[in-house]
Amino acid sequence: MSQDFNPLISPPVLPRASDRDLNLDSVIQELPIYHFQLEISCSGVELAHFLEKYPLLPGAILLDQGEFMGMISRRRLLEFLIRPRGQELFIQETLGVLYSYARTAILLLPGTTPILTATQHTLRRSPELLAEPIVVQTAANTYQLLDIHDLNIAAWQIQGIKTQVRYERSQVQMIQNDKMARLGRLVDGVAHEILDPVGFIWGNLTYVSNYSQDLLKLIAQYEKELPQNYHDINQLKEEIEFDFLAEDLSKVITSIRTGADRLKKLVSGLQNFCYIDEIHAKPADLHACIDSIVLLMKSRLKGENQIIKNYGNLPPIYCFMGQLNQVLMNILSQAIDVLLNESLRQKFYPESTNTAKKPRIEITTKVISLEPTQPDAPDSRWVSVCITDNGPGMSQELQQEIMESFSVEKWADKETSLAMSYRIIAARHGGKLNFRSQLGVGTEFEILLPLV
């Protein structure tokens, strides 16, 4: 073939090697893209000359008076030329005639399409089109070609990165789980050691109360029987303020009992929170779990911040109590952080404060029925735990970020407390974690756990 090129045709712009490293969010316009456009009035032999000179060129973008018309690939043109008498019939024809015969479905994607998403689109094509290049639209009227082999190589690299990230995160998670297990055992041991002296105090308080009352009765009886002119005894009673002592002793014992009871509940809450899950789920009192978490976090509630509990009648829930405690802790921590930030904002900007709106968190539990997703299936029963705050609410952008962190595609590269909570509820318990938020109204997280 002659190597004379039409001077009116711009030669192909071959891609340069990118100096950017690929990552999980890389898009196809970061890959080597070929820029080569021809008017459909050009002949097939002119296209063949360019394909012969540039062996890596996957094809050409076809234009009709400057407007995008389609694409013809090197493979498709070669199929026509190797047919019997193909060169005689087609080589001198215009590209418009060739394209009318070689027209195939074109995969057109914007340049901002993620590489992994583009790979999924290519795999959905019919088998005879799997090797066809992709048309990439990088601007309003700019179309370029991406070789499928370059896309596959990039996808393999990203899949390797994704696998490595997942492996590293799994290793980190294993180490974190081991640390939490060790910490749980340590805290459980400390809590057990605290409970022993608390048990001594609690068990002996009844006897101390009874003994003190008996001694006061004995002293009162002595006062009746003995003469009242014992100066030394009366002086001693005045020095020790006997009347006040007799009145206040019962109050002191009641105060000690209250403190011991609170300490006992706090240590029990620590033991429940650090509970080490076993292989199989076990029945648990969900209200006791919530009470333990609220008790542990009560020290963070300041001022008028309050937690309101609206408990329904719940049966024992089969769950992994340690992991479920972590979910409750994560959601309540976020709600408390929101209220504390809002209280701080109102302190510095009192003119924007709504005095009628006291910061609060409401925890509501109940058993609900959900409509079946399939016909003729019975209604399913779920335990619902709603944690609602009356804070400032979330913006749409923040809500979108949270939803993305819940998706499977983002599990490898986004690790947040809410994302971890979603995985525990959805993957570990077969439940659901929903949230709703409105600016100026507040945010609600709903945990749904299936009833076995």
Side-chain angles (χ1 to χ4, degrees):
M1 292 184 183
S2 172
Q3 296 299 319
D4 295 332
F5 296 102
N6 188 339
L8 300 179
I9 301 176
S10 300
V13 178
L14 302 181
R16 297 180 180 179
S18 176
D19 58 351
R20 298 180 59 183
D21 294 330
L22 296 178
N23 55 60
L24 298 177
D25 296 322
S26 293
V27 295
I28 56 178
Q29 64 186 11
E30 300 177 31
L31 300 179
I33 302 179
Y34 297 83
H35 183 75
F36 183 47
Q37 299 178 340
L38 289 176
E39 287 285 339
I40 59 174
S41 59
C42 296
S43 64
V45 68
E46 290 176 311
L47 174 58
H49 287 167
F50 281 102
L51 295 179
E52 184 178 357
K53 182 176 181 180
Y54 303 98
L56 297 180
L57 190 64
I61 299 293
L62 301 183
L63 304 177
D64 186 4
Q65 297 181 357
E67 296 295 329
F68 174 76
M69 181 178 180
M71 178 272 298
I72 186 168
S73 65
R74 174 191 292 270
R75 176 173 172 270
R76 189 64 62 186
L77 179 64
L78 181 59
E79 288 179 356
F80 277 89
L81 296 181
I82 64 176
R83 291 181 179 182
R85 301 184 63 189
Q87 295 191 26
E88 299 177 13
L89 295 174
F90 296 107
I91 199 65
Q92 296 299 331
E93 296 290 346
T94 64
L95 292 177
V97 175
L98 285 173
Y99 185 65
S100 64
Y101 286 97
R103 186 190 301 270
T104 56
I106 295 175
L107 179 57
L108 174 61
L109 298 174
T112 55
T113 304
I115 292 175
L116 295 180
T117 303
T119 305
Q120 294 174 356
H121 284 294
T122 60
L123 294 176
R124 296 191 187 105
R125 298 188 294 183
S126 57
E128 66 273 9
L129 300 177
L130 289 179
E132 289 290 292
I134 301 172
V135 179
V136 180
Q137 185 178 9
T138 56
N141 292 313
T142 303
Y143 299 88
Q144 303 178 60
L145 289 178
L146 172 62
D147 194 332
I148 190 65
H149 299 293
D150 294 329
L151 176 64
N152 289 336
I153 291 174
W156 291 335
Q157 292 176 352
I158 294 179
Q159 287 291 356
I161 296 173
K162 194 172 183 179
T163 302
Q164 180 66 21
V165 170
R166 284 181 173 173
Y167 172 75
E168 292 176 356
R169 289 201 177 275
S170 65
Q171 292 296 105
V172 172
Q173 188 63 41
M174 289 175 59
I175 295 173
Q176 182 66 21
N177 290 341
D178 183 65
K179 288 181 179 179
M180 290 299 295
R182 292 175 183 272
L183 179 61
R185 295 187 184 96
L186 177 62
V187 173
D188 183 67
V190 173
H192 182 75
E193 292 298 322
I194 295 175
L195 276 179
D196 281 345
V198 170
F200 299 152
I201 298 173
W202 183 266
N204 290 317
L205 275 175
T206 301
Y207 299 109
V208 171
S209 178
N210 294 335
Y211 296 163
S212 61
Q213 294 299 321
D214 292 341
L215 290 174
L216 291 176
K217 291 179 181 179
L218 178 62
I219 294 173
Q221 189 65 30
Y222 270 119
E223 288 183 341
K224 289 181 181 180
E225 300 295 335
L226 294 177
Q228 299 295 322
N229 57 357
Y230 281 92
H231 176 74
D232 294 339
I233 295 177
N234 293 332
Q235 184 177 0
L236 179 60
K237 289 177 64 176
E238 292 178 0
E239 289 178 359
I240 65 174
E241 298 181 350
F242 179 79
D243 294 337
F244 173 77
L245 185 151
E247 180 182 354
D248 195 54
L249 182 59
S250 61
K251 297 180 181 179
V252 171
I253 294 176
T254 301
S255 178
I256 295 174
R257 190 190 303 275
T258 302
D261 182 53
R262 184 176 178 183
L263 184 58
K264 185 178 179 180
K265 290 180 179 179
L266 180 62
V267 175
S268 298
L270 278 175
Q271 286 183 317
N272 291 334
F273 179 72
C274 297
Y275 181 83
I276 301 175
D277 291 317
E278 299 181 3
I279 298 177
H280 303 289
K282 287 190 173 183
D285 184 353
L286 194 57
H287 291 160
C289 295
I290 297 174
D291 291 339
S292 299
I293 302 300
V294 171
L295 184 62
L296 292 177
M297 305 191 69
K298 195 171 183 180
S299 61
R300 297 188 58 196
L301 295 174
K302 300 178 180 179
E304 297 182 348
N305 296 333
Q306 57 179 336
I307 294 181
I308 301 174
K309 302 174 186 176
N310 302 315
Y311 286 169
N313 295 321
L314 300 184
I317 308 299
Y318 278 84
C319 64
F320 298 94
M321 189 170 67
Q323 298 182 23
L324 191 59
N325 284 335
Q326 186 65 51
V327 173
L328 294 170
M329 176 71 79
N330 292 338
I331 296 177
L332 279 173
S333 294
Q334 174 156 316
I336 290 176
D337 288 340
V338 168
L339 293 186
L340 292 178
N341 292 336
E342 181 65 12
S343 299
L344 187 63
R345 186 191 67 82
Q346 293 179 0
K347 181 178 180 181
F348 285 99
Y349 303 98
E351 65 277 1
S352 62
T353 302
N354 184 3
T355 56
K357 184 179 179 181
K358 294 183 178 180
R360 72 178 186 276
I361 298 173
E362 291 189 15
I363 305 174
T364 305
T365 64
K366 57 185 176 180
V367 177
I368 63 173
S369 295
L370 298 181
E371 295 182 0
T373 56
Q374 298 180 354
D376 301 330
D379 292 346
S380 55
R381 299 176 70 239
W382 300 71
V383 169
S384 169
V385 181
C386 290
I387 301 176
T388 308
D389 67 72
N390 62 344
M394 300 183 188
S395 64
Q396 290 295 330
E397 292 78 9
L398 181 56
Q399 294 184 49
Q400 183 63 29
E401 289 181 6
I402 295 176
M403 291 301 299
E404 289 180 356
S405 70
F406 287 175
S407 65
V408 178
E409 291 78 7
K410 296 294 182 180
W411 282 9
D413 58 331
K414 288 203 175 189
E415 185 69 25
T416 64
S417 61
L418 289 179
M420 182 182 66
S421 300
Y422 179 84
R423 292 201 294 274
I424 291 175
I425 295 299
R428 194 66 169 159
H429 291 84
K432 303 176 184 180
L433 178 59
N434 305 320
F435 78 95
R436 294 172 288 274
S437 185
Q438 185 177 350
L439 289 175
V441 177
T443 303
E444 176 185 272
F445 283 90
E446 182 182 27
I447 300 172
L448 292 176
L449 298 173
L451 277 176
V452 180

